Amino acid sequence: MERTLVMIKPDGVQRNLIGKIINIFEEKGLKVIALKKVRLSKEQAKAFYIVHKDRPFYEELTDYMSSGPVVAMVLEGEDAIKRVREIMGATDPAEAAEGTIRKLFGLDKGRNTVHGSDSPESASKEIPFFFSEFELIGAE
Ligand code: IDP
Ligand code: MG
């Protein structure tokens, strides 16, 4: 069993896509073991995306991610990190495969509707960014 951090980004929350997106993950057998809606400050967005601090899109990305509420969740399942990345699709919605969340709902490379941890190392930092151990309620 593996755990990964997923965020529904401001464009997804604003367009009332929370339920549809969670449904896609649940239908694929992933379990929601923690869930919350939060509004990130600019500083929190910069801390979350600190690995991208030298990328040209860092300011734009962190402005965007602090522009409205997001929904953060921890999903659990076999091979959850890789499977979530596959279900989300490529970063640029224009390049995302048919049926992926970013293909279905993404607006552009920045406003691509969902985030998912890209590795076990990222997940182990991103999960505690939002959730304490007692908020993670695993499957019985
Ligand atoms: P990922 O989310 O698919 O892992 P990353 O390359 O890690 O993609 O980039 C993190 C986030 O930064 C993307 O999901 C997207 O929101 C934003 N981003 C990436 N590249 C660009 C860009 O060229 N312009 C604007 N935003 C970008
Ligand atoms: Mg990434």
Side-chain angles (χ1 to χ4, degrees):
M1 279 297 166
E2 195 172 59
R3 292 174 174 184
T4 187
L5 189 282
V6 168
M7 256 192 293
I8 302 175
K9 297 185 178 187
D11 65 279
V13 174
Q14 194 191 358
R15 289 180 291 151
N16 272 8
L17 296 172
I18 297 170
K20 283 200 175 77
I21 291 167
I22 292 176
N23 184 245
I24 290 170
F25 289 121
E26 286 193 316
E27 297 241 303
K28 302 277 187 188
L30 290 149
K31 290 278 180 201
V32 178
I33 67 161
L35 181 70
K36 63 173 65 159
K37 184 180 182 185
V38 288
R39 171 90 188 242
L40 297 175
S41 67
K42 172 76 173 173
E43 289 312 309
Q44 287 170 321
K46 286 173 77 172
F48 184 85
Y49 281 110
I50 193 72
V51 293
H52 293 315
K53 66 177 166 36
D54 297 323
R55 305 282 283 277
F57 57 81
Y58 185 59
E59 278 307 314
E60 180 187 341
L61 170 62
T62 53
D63 277 348
Y64 168 58
M65 290 302 295
S66 58
S67 69
V70 301
V71 169
M73 71 193 88
V74 178
L75 299 183
E76 185 177 76
E78 222 167 280
D79 219 7
I81 294 170
K82 187 162 146 272
R83 280 175 59 217
V84 163
R85 298 281 299 184
E86 287 168 1
I87 295 164
M88 290 196 315
T91 306
D92 185 346
E95 289 163 15
E98 278 312 316
T100 61
I101 293 172
R102 284 166 167 174
K103 175 71 174 188
L104 284 167
F105 304 124
L107 298 173
D108 51 48
K109 202 171 181 187
R111 295 175 302 162
N112 57 6
T113 316
V114 277
H115 166 88
S117 304
D118 64 5
S119 64
E121 297 68 42
S122 299
S124 70
K125 290 187 190 122
E126 292 176 0
I127 291 169
F129 185 92
F130 285 102
F131 299 99
S132 64
E133 193 57 43
F134 82 92
E135 291 177 294
L136 304 173
I137 318 296
E140 297 302 304

